[in-house]
Amino acid sequence: LGFTNSLNGEVKPRILLMGLRRSGKSSIQKVVFHKMSPNETLFLESTNKICREDVSNSSFVSFQIWDFPGQIDFFDPSFDYEMIFRGTGALIFVIDSQDDYVEALNRLHLTVTRAYAVNPDINFEVFIHKVDGLSDDQKIDKQRDIHKRANDDQVDAGLERIHLSFYLTSIYDHSIFEAFSKVVQKLIPQLPTLENLLNIFIS
Ligand SMILES: Nc1nc2c(ncn2[C@@H]2O[C@H](COP(=O)(O)OP(=O)(O)OP(=O)(O)O)[C@@H](O)[C@H]2O)c(=O)[nH]1
């Protein structure tokens, strides 16, 4: 159910970062978890293999991030995507909003369809990324357009029951932290309990 047991018996939700080449996956990981400054990401090399990383900020916020190389080939027999999706809690798909996103949307659709068939419990999170430089109106238009096209693709395939969540993100402001934090919060099993306790505490 998105949780993997590591050797010491700890349970860590797994988050996948996927999207086309140069969409910004490694930058997101570096800025959010390694305090890299946004300008430094200009010099990041392209990722050629899956990079796994454990994140543990506190005893109960801990998870694993897998950064994928731009294009993964679902038909490559050496790539066991079933095993990967089976142990995944959230799949973040990054779309470069400053680029033509037709191909990204095709890729999103293929990825979601494959992943859902293996594990319908995955949270599908779409980051409409690099929205710095867009006006508020342009952001809204972009989100509306991407949302509509993505949903049309799902409906055409008879898969409208798959829920996708959308976020407007940029590494140049707090939006990427906010979006990531929402993704992580959905995966923390203790959160409802913690909320209940806090509610009791303040009432
Ligand atoms: N303007 C802008 N540029 C960004 C943002 N995020 C990433 N970039 C730039 O996008 C380029 C590609 O970023 P990467 O993080 O290497 O992209 P990637 O998806 O990991 O690429 P691959 O490893 O090739 O799959 C870099 O030059 C980043 O500086 C953003 O929010 N805004």
Side-chain angles (χ1 to χ4, degrees), residues 21-27 41 46-47 70 129-130 132 171:
R21 276 205 177 288
R22 312 304 289 158
S23 55
K25 303 174 291 293
S26 305
S27 307
T41 66
S46 204
T47 311
H129 192 52
K130 307 192 191 178
D132 43 280
I171 55 170

Side-chain angles (χ1 to χ4, degrees), residues 51 68 71 116 128 160 164 180 184 193:
C51 300
F68 278 78
Q71 251 70 295
Y116 184 84
I128 302 170
E160 57 268 46
L164 310 178
F180 224 104
V184 171
T193 314

Side-chain angles (χ1 to χ4, degrees), residues 1 5 16 18 25 31 35 41 53 63 83 100 111 125 135 137-138 144 157-158 163 166 172 175 180-181:
L1 243 171
N5 279 302
L16 307 185
M18 295 181 144
K25 303 174 291 293
V31 168
K35 301 194 171 86
T41 66
E53 178 179 14
F63 47 92
M83 182 274 288
D100 174 35
T111 308
E125 319 279 10
S135 70
D137 281 348
Q138 286 171 319
R144 195 178 290 139
H163 179 76
F166 294 87
Y172 288 93
S175 58
F180 224 104
S181 133

Side-chain angles (χ1 to χ4, degrees), residues 103-129:
E103 202 200 330
L105 283 167
N106 289 337
R107 205 63 213 178
L108 168 68
H109 179 66
L110 178 67
T111 308
V112 166
T113 310
R114 291 284 165 129
Y116 184 84
V118 175
N119 178 1
D121 295 320
I122 296 178
N123 297 336
F124 294 105
E125 319 279 10
V126 182
F127 285 9
I128 302 170
H129 192 52

Side-chain angles (χ1 to χ4, degrees), residues 53-127:
E53 178 179 14
D54 282 346
V55 176
S56 18
N57 295 322
S58 71
S59 55
F60 83 104
V61 179
S62 96
F63 47 92
Q64 242 184 25
I65 301 179
W66 291 29
D67 182 5
F68 278 78
Q71 251 70 295
I72 48 160
D73 180 1
F74 288 114
F75 300 100
D76 175 354
S78 68
F79 174 65
D80 190 354
Y81 69 87
E82 293 205 358
M83 182 274 288
I84 291 172
F85 289 145
R86 229 177 278 126
T88 291
L91 191 162
I92 298 177
F93 194 93
V94 184
I95 296 180
D96 181 347
S97 68
Q98 296 188 0
D99 199 17
D100 174 35
Y101 43 77
V102 172
E103 202 200 330
L105 283 167
N106 289 337
R107 205 63 213 178
L108 168 68
H109 179 66
L110 178 67
T111 308
V112 166
T113 310
R114 291 284 165 129
Y116 184 84
V118 175
N119 178 1
D121 295 320
I122 296 178
N123 297 336
F124 294 105
E125 319 279 10
V126 182
F127 285 9

Side-chain angles (χ1 to χ4, degrees), residues 1-14 54-56 59-64 187-190:
L1 243 171
F3 298 93
T4 44
N5 279 302
S6 55
L7 286 175
N8 55 10
E10 231 182 314
V11 176
K12 285 201 171 103
R14 181 190 299 161
D54 282 346
V55 176
S56 18
S59 55
F60 83 104
V61 179
S62 96
F63 47 92
Q64 242 184 25
L187 294 178
I188 301 173
Q190 298 93 328

